Amino acid sequence: MTDTHDTAGGNSTRTAVEDDRDPLFARIPRRDFMKAGAAAGAIGSLAGCTNLLDEGETTAAADVDASVPPGELDEYYAFLSGGHSGDIRVYGVPSMRQIMRIPVFNVESARGYGFDDETHEMLQEAGGYTWGDTHHPRVSQTDNQYDGEWLFVNDKANGRMARIDLEYFETDAIIDLPNQQGTHGACALMPDTRLIFGVGELRVPIPNDGRDLEDPSEYGSTLSAMSADPFDHEWDVRVDCNLDNGDSGKYGEWFFTTSYNTEEAVTESEMTASDTDYVVAFNIPRIEDAVDAGEFEEINGVPVVDGTEDSPLNDGDEPLVRYIDVPTNPHGVSVTPDGEYAIASGKLDPTCTIIEVDQLNEVDDANDAIAGRVNVGNGPLHTAYDGRGHGYTTLFVDSQVVKWDIEAAVDAEMGSADPVIEKHDVHYSPGHLIAAESYTGDPQGDWLIVLNKLSKDRFLPVGPVFPENDQLFYIGDDDAGMELVKDTPAYPEPHDASIVRADRLDPASVYDPDDLALEFISPDDEDNFIERDGDRVHVEMYNARNTFGLEDIVVQEGDEVTIRSTNIEQEEDILHSVAIPQHNVNIKLAPQETREVTFTADEPGVYWIYCAYFCSALHLEMRSRLLVEPAD
Ligand code: RUQ
Ligand code: CUA
Ligand code: CA
């Protein structure tokens, strides 16, 4: 029997799901469950948990303590993408307190990111775009475990990948991928982060130089591979279809992506015309052999290997790329912790398809690697793992998370719903979800975050732009079932996250000056000076509570001025900044950090230089003057 009960936080307002203008909803029959609820006149009972246990079994609420009292620290870091805010947000789990933001593709004033010369040049050299769209933050691993070194994330807007240094929690490199428009999926090659992949979503001519504008059959997309450190673009593989989400196998061989546009189409109706699309499986060692053997075309300076279906490299028994048919327009793909299966979520089809990774080397027809197909419900988008043999799949249309048994799904008939263990309402339309260390070989199996869109009535109204709703579940008690413990409003809009045990990271709290490119400026007189070379002025000055190393900086109208400054504080958390707002100067300086900034002093006048970080009781008095003398 089906046992339905309310949970705290259950809510019956489901306008998002019932909106018949929703293109997904229009395609998919409503779940029987909703009809049954409506017939009983008990819409309220739809909210909460549907526990599909055998008759006689009971559901007991798990005894979950998700509180983290003042002064105590969380057990996990969660790195959430900020979507088209362009940043990464760092949360503590289970408190869901937002601890920090890391600007990536956006300019951000509190951290002075994009203002000092180094970060400004990094953003300029990566295309000079003013924004990006982060989706998939992935932390580096060694031996299928998080190693806490790097975090990589895509830019779905501009076709870029970024690397974040987890010692300093700052973006330190960005690669603009020239043969890719819209990098969607992002993931490292497991087990050891030997390569980083950006998955190209939007089909374009390659190179996109004005050729084939009107001939979409000539468009293609690429999987781009980068080395982790140094962060360099290594090669691309070209395919004809589009590529969407991606995940790595666990043993360095296969990389999986979904494709929803095997029709090679341009419009929505054309892209959904076919009954099937692909999971595309890339054999990375074979692709590398092809690169080494010179079997590529160089396009925009990048070796591009032909991985299309008709490519001669895909002939024979060692194809570079295998194409597996799955029901129309799939979305997420993720590999189980043991590396045995790649599971693709159906999106327009109510199933998840289970591909047996090892079979890809055995079977002639790639479709014979399909080991199972489970009916999970309407609008399945992404699947996460608890390490106990369960998949957790978001159902965008049903506004639910469904927990199911992976081996039972392999054993069951294709399309059976029997492997489903439990469905739990979320609020509302969930996109991604992530369980603690789900992407590793050893998920922790306790916490699950579901990233919901269309949160509607969950928070105080704030006008027509709504926050998203990130919901925390406890999933550690299989008898009690999933337990919703927290709603967390999120600024638009997180897509994916990685949850990492706190003890796997070891961030610095003060800069090591040896790690920085610019030389440390001490308070000694000879370290603090103004030097002129024609109309180029170079200034060096330290800063500390509550002073800058120079009282006045006198320059001439029209001078190009570079100010370099070191925060000489040794004490944690004493930050200063150098702000000259009228010249758009705003650099932050953490303890022992040196930065520089270059600007043109184009208007004569007196300009106060101030420190924007509240650093002491005399913080307002911490200032200096820029005096720009009129040109004669
Ligand atoms: S993809 S949930 Cu990048 Cu699903 Cu957004
Ligand atoms: Cu230094 Cu405020
Ligand atoms: Ca399609």
Side-chain angles (χ1 to χ4, degrees), residues 498-539:
S498 288
I499 304 177
V500 182
R501 237 172 53 197
D503 61 8
R504 301 205 197 275
L505 266 67
D506 188 19
S509 58
V510 168
Y511 278 94
D512 177 348
D514 292 341
D515 287 348
L516 302 177
L518 300 173
E519 225 168 287
F520 192 90
I521 300 165
S522 82
D524 299 344
D525 278 352
E526 63 268 24
D527 265 13
N528 293 264
F529 58 81
I530 304 175
E531 205 174 61
R532 172 177 291 280
D533 176 11
D535 57 3
R536 295 266 305 112
V537 177
H538 184 81
V539 179

Short mmCIF file of all heavy atoms in Angstrom, two decimals, residues 498-539:
data_model
loop_
_atom_site.label_atom_id
_atom_site.label_comp_id
_atom_site.label_asym_id
_atom_site.label_seq_id
_atom_site.Cartn_x
_atom_site.Cartn_y
_atom_site.Cartn_z
N SER A 498 28.79 20.51 -4.72
CA SER A 498 29.58 19.39 -4.22
C SER A 498 29.66 19.55 -2.71
O SER A 498 29.90 20.65 -2.22
CB SER A 498 31.00 19.40 -4.81
OG SER A 498 30.97 19.03 -6.17
N ILE A 499 29.41 18.46 -2.00
CA ILE A 499 29.47 18.49 -0.53
C ILE A 499 30.71 17.71 -0.10
O ILE A 499 30.85 16.53 -0.43
CB ILE A 499 28.21 17.89 0.10
CG1 ILE A 499 26.95 18.60 -0.42
CG2 ILE A 499 28.28 17.99 1.62
CD1 ILE A 499 25.65 18.01 0.12
N VAL A 500 31.60 18.37 0.63
CA VAL A 500 32.92 17.81 0.95
C VAL A 500 33.11 17.82 2.46
O VAL A 500 32.88 18.85 3.11
CB VAL A 500 34.02 18.67 0.30
CG1 VAL A 500 35.39 18.07 0.57
CG2 VAL A 500 33.79 18.83 -1.19
N ARG A 501 33.53 16.70 3.01
CA ARG A 501 33.79 16.65 4.44
C ARG A 501 34.83 17.70 4.81
O ARG A 501 35.86 17.84 4.15
CB ARG A 501 34.30 15.25 4.82
CG ARG A 501 33.44 14.58 5.88
CD ARG A 501 33.84 13.16 6.09
NE ARG A 501 35.26 13.04 6.38
CZ ARG A 501 35.94 11.90 6.29
NH1 ARG A 501 35.32 10.80 5.91
NH2 ARG A 501 37.22 11.86 6.56
N ALA A 502 34.54 18.44 5.91
CA ALA A 502 35.37 19.60 6.24
C ALA A 502 36.83 19.20 6.45
O ALA A 502 37.74 19.97 6.11
CB ALA A 502 34.82 20.29 7.49
N ASP A 503 37.07 18.00 6.98
CA ASP A 503 38.47 17.65 7.28
C ASP A 503 39.29 17.32 6.03
O ASP A 503 40.48 17.06 6.11
CB ASP A 503 38.53 16.49 8.29
CG ASP A 503 37.87 15.22 7.77
OD1 ASP A 503 37.49 15.17 6.57
OD2 ASP A 503 37.73 14.27 8.56
N ARG A 504 38.65 17.35 4.85
CA ARG A 504 39.40 17.11 3.62
C ARG A 504 40.01 18.40 3.07
O ARG A 504 40.75 18.37 2.09
CB ARG A 504 38.51 16.48 2.56
CG ARG A 504 37.88 15.17 3.00
CD ARG A 504 37.54 14.32 1.80
NE ARG A 504 36.61 13.25 2.10
CZ ARG A 504 36.98 12.06 2.56
NH1 ARG A 504 38.25 11.82 2.82
NH2 ARG A 504 36.07 11.13 2.78
N LEU A 505 39.65 19.54 3.67
CA LEU A 505 40.17 20.82 3.21
C LEU A 505 41.09 21.41 4.26
O LEU A 505 40.91 21.18 5.46
CB LEU A 505 39.02 21.81 2.96
CG LEU A 505 38.48 21.87 1.52
CD1 LEU A 505 37.81 20.59 1.13
CD2 LEU A 505 37.54 23.06 1.38
N ASP A 506 42.05 22.18 3.79
CA ASP A 506 42.98 22.81 4.72
C ASP A 506 43.29 24.23 4.24
O ASP A 506 44.41 24.53 3.80
CB ASP A 506 44.27 21.96 4.80
CG ASP A 506 45.19 22.47 5.90
OD1 ASP A 506 44.72 23.19 6.79
OD2 ASP A 506 46.39 22.16 5.82
N PRO A 507 42.31 25.11 4.31
CA PRO A 507 42.51 26.46 3.77
C PRO A 507 43.47 27.28 4.64
O PRO A 507 43.53 27.09 5.84
CB PRO A 507 41.11 27.09 3.80
CG PRO A 507 40.19 26.10 4.42
CD PRO A 507 40.97 24.93 4.90
N ALA A 508 44.21 28.16 3.97
CA ALA A 508 45.08 29.09 4.70
C ALA A 508 44.22 30.21 5.29
O ALA A 508 43.19 30.57 4.73
CB ALA A 508 46.11 29.67 3.75
N SER A 509 44.65 30.76 6.43
CA SER A 509 43.91 31.90 6.99
C SER A 509 44.68 33.21 6.80
O SER A 509 44.13 34.28 7.03
CB SER A 509 43.60 31.66 8.46
OG SER A 509 44.80 31.46 9.18
N VAL A 510 45.92 33.10 6.40
CA VAL A 510 46.76 34.27 6.12
C VAL A 510 47.54 33.92 4.86
O VAL A 510 47.92 32.75 4.67
CB VAL A 510 47.73 34.54 7.30
CG1 VAL A 510 48.80 35.55 6.94
CG2 VAL A 510 46.95 35.00 8.54
N TYR A 511 47.76 34.88 3.97
CA TYR A 511 48.54 34.58 2.77
C TYR A 511 49.98 34.26 3.13
O TYR A 511 50.55 34.83 4.07
CB TYR A 511 48.54 35.78 1.81
CG TYR A 511 47.31 35.84 0.96
CD1 TYR A 511 46.22 36.61 1.35
CD2 TYR A 511 47.23 35.13 -0.23
CE1 TYR A 511 45.08 36.66 0.58
CE2 TYR A 511 46.08 35.17 -1.01
CZ TYR A 511 45.01 35.94 -0.59
OH TYR A 511 43.88 35.98 -1.36
N ASP A 512 50.57 33.35 2.35
CA ASP A 512 52.01 33.17 2.39
C ASP A 512 52.58 34.05 1.28
O ASP A 512 52.33 33.78 0.10
CB ASP A 512 52.34 31.69 2.14
CG ASP A 512 53.84 31.45 2.10
OD1 ASP A 512 54.62 32.44 2.04
OD2 ASP A 512 54.23 30.27 2.13
N PRO A 513 53.34 35.10 1.63
CA PRO A 513 53.83 36.03 0.60
C PRO A 513 54.60 35.31 -0.51
O PRO A 513 54.62 35.77 -1.65
CB PRO A 513 54.74 36.99 1.36
CG PRO A 513 54.27 36.92 2.78
CD PRO A 513 53.76 35.52 2.98
N ASP A 514 55.19 34.16 -0.20
CA ASP A 514 55.93 33.42 -1.24
C ASP A 514 55.01 32.86 -2.32
O ASP A 514 55.47 32.52 -3.41
CB ASP A 514 56.71 32.25 -0.61
CG ASP A 514 57.85 32.75 0.27
OD1 ASP A 514 58.26 33.93 0.10
OD2 ASP A 514 58.31 31.98 1.13
N ASP A 515 53.72 32.72 -2.01
CA ASP A 515 52.78 32.21 -3.01
C ASP A 515 52.32 33.30 -3.98
O ASP A 515 51.63 33.02 -4.94
CB ASP A 515 51.51 31.66 -2.32
CG ASP A 515 51.78 30.32 -1.64
OD1 ASP A 515 52.87 29.75 -1.88
OD2 ASP A 515 50.93 29.88 -0.85
N LEU A 516 52.65 34.55 -3.69
CA LEU A 516 52.14 35.65 -4.49
C LEU A 516 53.20 36.16 -5.46
O LEU A 516 54.40 36.11 -5.18
CB LEU A 516 51.67 36.80 -3.59
CG LEU A 516 50.59 36.40 -2.56
CD1 LEU A 516 50.24 37.56 -1.65
CD2 LEU A 516 49.34 35.89 -3.26
N ALA A 517 52.73 36.65 -6.60
CA ALA A 517 53.66 37.09 -7.64
C ALA A 517 54.35 38.40 -7.26
O ALA A 517 55.49 38.64 -7.64
CB ALA A 517 52.90 37.26 -8.96
N LEU A 518 53.68 39.25 -6.53
CA LEU A 518 54.22 40.60 -6.25
C LEU A 518 55.01 40.60 -4.95
O LEU A 518 54.65 39.91 -3.99
CB LEU A 518 53.07 41.61 -6.16
CG LEU A 518 52.22 41.73 -7.42
CD1 LEU A 518 51.00 42.62 -7.16
CD2 LEU A 518 53.05 42.28 -8.57
N GLU A 519 56.06 41.42 -4.95
CA GLU A 519 56.93 41.45 -3.79
C GLU A 519 56.30 42.18 -2.60
O GLU A 519 55.62 43.19 -2.75
CB GLU A 519 58.26 42.12 -4.16
CG GLU A 519 59.45 41.35 -3.63
CD GLU A 519 60.72 41.88 -4.25
OE1 GLU A 519 60.95 41.61 -5.46
OE2 GLU A 519 61.46 42.57 -3.53
N PHE A 520 56.56 41.67 -1.45
CA PHE A 520 56.06 42.20 -0.17
C PHE A 520 56.63 43.60 0.07
O PHE A 520 57.82 43.85 -0.13
CB PHE A 520 56.53 41.25 0.93
CG PHE A 520 55.87 41.46 2.26
CD1 PHE A 520 54.69 40.81 2.59
CD2 PHE A 520 56.44 42.32 3.20
CE1 PHE A 520 54.10 40.99 3.83
CE2 PHE A 520 55.84 42.51 4.44
CZ PHE A 520 54.67 41.84 4.75
N ILE A 521 55.78 44.51 0.53
CA ILE A 521 56.22 45.88 0.83
C ILE A 521 56.21 46.06 2.34
O ILE A 521 55.16 45.95 2.97
CB ILE A 521 55.28 46.91 0.17
CG1 ILE A 521 55.28 46.72 -1.35
CG2 ILE A 521 55.69 48.33 0.54
CD1 ILE A 521 54.14 47.42 -2.06
N SER A 522 57.36 46.31 2.91
CA SER A 522 57.46 46.46 4.36
C SER A 522 57.24 47.93 4.75
O SER A 522 57.21 48.81 3.88
CB SER A 522 58.85 46.02 4.83
OG SER A 522 59.76 47.09 4.64
N PRO A 523 57.13 48.23 6.03
CA PRO A 523 56.99 49.63 6.44
C PRO A 523 58.28 50.44 6.32
O PRO A 523 58.26 51.65 6.53
CB PRO A 523 56.56 49.53 7.91
CG PRO A 523 56.16 48.13 8.14
CD PRO A 523 56.92 47.31 7.15
N ASP A 524 59.41 49.78 5.99
CA ASP A 524 60.67 50.54 5.85
C ASP A 524 60.50 51.66 4.84
O ASP A 524 59.84 51.49 3.81
CB ASP A 524 61.81 49.63 5.37
CG ASP A 524 62.07 48.51 6.35
OD1 ASP A 524 61.60 48.62 7.51
OD2 ASP A 524 62.71 47.51 5.96
N ASP A 525 61.16 52.79 5.13
CA ASP A 525 61.02 53.96 4.27
C ASP A 525 61.33 53.66 2.81
O ASP A 525 60.62 54.11 1.91
CB ASP A 525 61.95 55.09 4.74
CG ASP A 525 61.31 55.85 5.90
OD1 ASP A 525 60.12 55.58 6.18
OD2 ASP A 525 62.01 56.69 6.51
N GLU A 526 62.42 52.88 2.59
CA GLU A 526 62.82 52.67 1.19
C GLU A 526 61.82 51.80 0.43
O GLU A 526 61.85 51.74 -0.79
CB GLU A 526 64.24 52.09 1.10
CG GLU A 526 64.42 50.71 1.72
CD GLU A 526 64.86 50.79 3.18
OE1 GLU A 526 64.60 51.83 3.83
OE2 GLU A 526 65.45 49.81 3.68
N ASP A 527 60.92 51.11 1.14
CA ASP A 527 59.89 50.30 0.49
C ASP A 527 58.67 51.12 0.08
O ASP A 527 57.79 50.61 -0.61
CB ASP A 527 59.44 49.18 1.43
CG ASP A 527 60.19 47.88 1.16
OD1 ASP A 527 61.19 47.93 0.42
OD2 ASP A 527 59.77 46.84 1.69
N ASN A 528 58.59 52.35 0.55
CA ASN A 528 57.39 53.16 0.31
C ASN A 528 57.78 54.40 -0.48
O ASN A 528 58.44 55.29 0.04
CB ASN A 528 56.74 53.55 1.64
CG ASN A 528 56.17 52.33 2.36
OD1 ASN A 528 55.01 52.02 2.26
ND2 ASN A 528 57.05 51.60 3.06
N PHE A 529 57.39 54.43 -1.75
CA PHE A 529 57.90 55.50 -2.62
C PHE A 529 56.97 55.75 -3.80
O PHE A 529 56.08 54.96 -4.10
CB PHE A 529 59.30 55.14 -3.14
CG PHE A 529 59.34 53.84 -3.90
CD1 PHE A 529 58.94 53.78 -5.24
CD2 PHE A 529 59.75 52.67 -3.27
CE1 PHE A 529 58.97 52.59 -5.93
CE2 PHE A 529 59.78 51.46 -3.97
CZ PHE A 529 59.39 51.43 -5.30
N ILE A 530 57.24 56.90 -4.45
CA ILE A 530 56.58 57.24 -5.71
C ILE A 530 57.68 57.42 -6.75
O ILE A 530 58.62 58.16 -6.52
CB ILE A 530 55.78 58.56 -5.59
CG1 ILE A 530 54.78 58.46 -4.43
CG2 ILE A 530 55.07 58.90 -6.89
CD1 ILE A 530 54.04 59.76 -4.15
N GLU A 531 57.54 56.74 -7.90
CA GLU A 531 58.59 56.77 -8.90
C GLU A 531 57.95 57.17 -10.23
O GLU A 531 56.89 56.66 -10.57
CB GLU A 531 59.13 55.34 -9.02
CG GLU A 531 60.54 55.19 -9.51
CD GLU A 531 60.94 53.70 -9.42
OE1 GLU A 531 60.28 52.87 -10.09
OE2 GLU A 531 61.85 53.39 -8.65
N ARG A 532 58.60 58.07 -10.94
CA ARG A 532 58.01 58.53 -12.20
C ARG A 532 58.89 58.13 -13.37
O ARG A 532 60.11 58.23 -13.31
CB ARG A 532 57.84 60.05 -12.16
CG ARG A 532 57.42 60.67 -13.49
CD ARG A 532 57.19 62.16 -13.37
NE ARG A 532 56.00 62.45 -12.57
CZ ARG A 532 54.75 62.39 -13.03
NH1 ARG A 532 54.53 62.05 -14.28
NH2 ARG A 532 53.73 62.67 -12.24
N ASP A 533 58.23 57.69 -14.45
CA ASP A 533 58.94 57.41 -15.70
C ASP A 533 58.06 57.97 -16.81
O ASP A 533 57.09 57.35 -17.22
CB ASP A 533 59.15 55.89 -15.85
CG ASP A 533 59.79 55.52 -17.17
OD1 ASP A 533 60.27 56.44 -17.88
OD2 ASP A 533 59.80 54.32 -17.51
N GLY A 534 58.38 59.18 -17.27
CA GLY A 534 57.50 59.87 -18.21
C GLY A 534 56.16 60.14 -17.55
O GLY A 534 56.12 60.69 -16.45
N ASP A 535 55.07 59.70 -18.18
CA ASP A 535 53.77 59.90 -17.52
C ASP A 535 53.28 58.61 -16.85
O ASP A 535 52.09 58.44 -16.57
CB ASP A 535 52.72 60.45 -18.51
CG ASP A 535 52.55 59.53 -19.71
OD1 ASP A 535 53.19 58.45 -19.76
OD2 ASP A 535 51.77 59.90 -20.61
N ARG A 536 54.24 57.70 -16.62
CA ARG A 536 53.91 56.48 -15.85
C ARG A 536 54.39 56.69 -14.43
O ARG A 536 55.56 57.00 -14.19
CB ARG A 536 54.64 55.26 -16.43
CG ARG A 536 54.23 54.86 -17.84
CD ARG A 536 53.13 53.79 -17.86
NE ARG A 536 53.44 52.59 -17.11
CZ ARG A 536 52.81 52.23 -15.98
NH1 ARG A 536 51.88 53.00 -15.48
NH2 ARG A 536 53.13 51.12 -15.36
N VAL A 537 53.48 56.51 -13.46
CA VAL A 537 53.84 56.70 -12.06
C VAL A 537 53.66 55.38 -11.33
O VAL A 537 52.60 54.73 -11.46
CB VAL A 537 52.97 57.79 -11.40
CG1 VAL A 537 53.30 57.92 -9.92
CG2 VAL A 537 53.17 59.13 -12.11
N HIS A 538 54.68 54.94 -10.63
CA HIS A 538 54.61 53.69 -9.88
C HIS A 538 54.71 54.01 -8.38
O HIS A 538 55.64 54.68 -7.94
CB HIS A 538 55.75 52.76 -10.30
CG HIS A 538 55.69 51.43 -9.64
ND1 HIS A 538 54.88 50.41 -10.08
CD2 HIS A 538 56.32 50.95 -8.54
CE1 HIS A 538 55.02 49.36 -9.29
NE2 HIS A 538 55.88 49.66 -8.34
N VAL A 539 53.73 53.52 -7.63
CA VAL A 539 53.66 53.82 -6.21
C VAL A 539 53.73 52.51 -5.44
O VAL A 539 53.06 51.54 -5.81
CB VAL A 539 52.32 54.53 -5.87
CG1 VAL A 539 52.22 54.83 -4.38
CG2 VAL A 539 52.15 55.79 -6.70
#
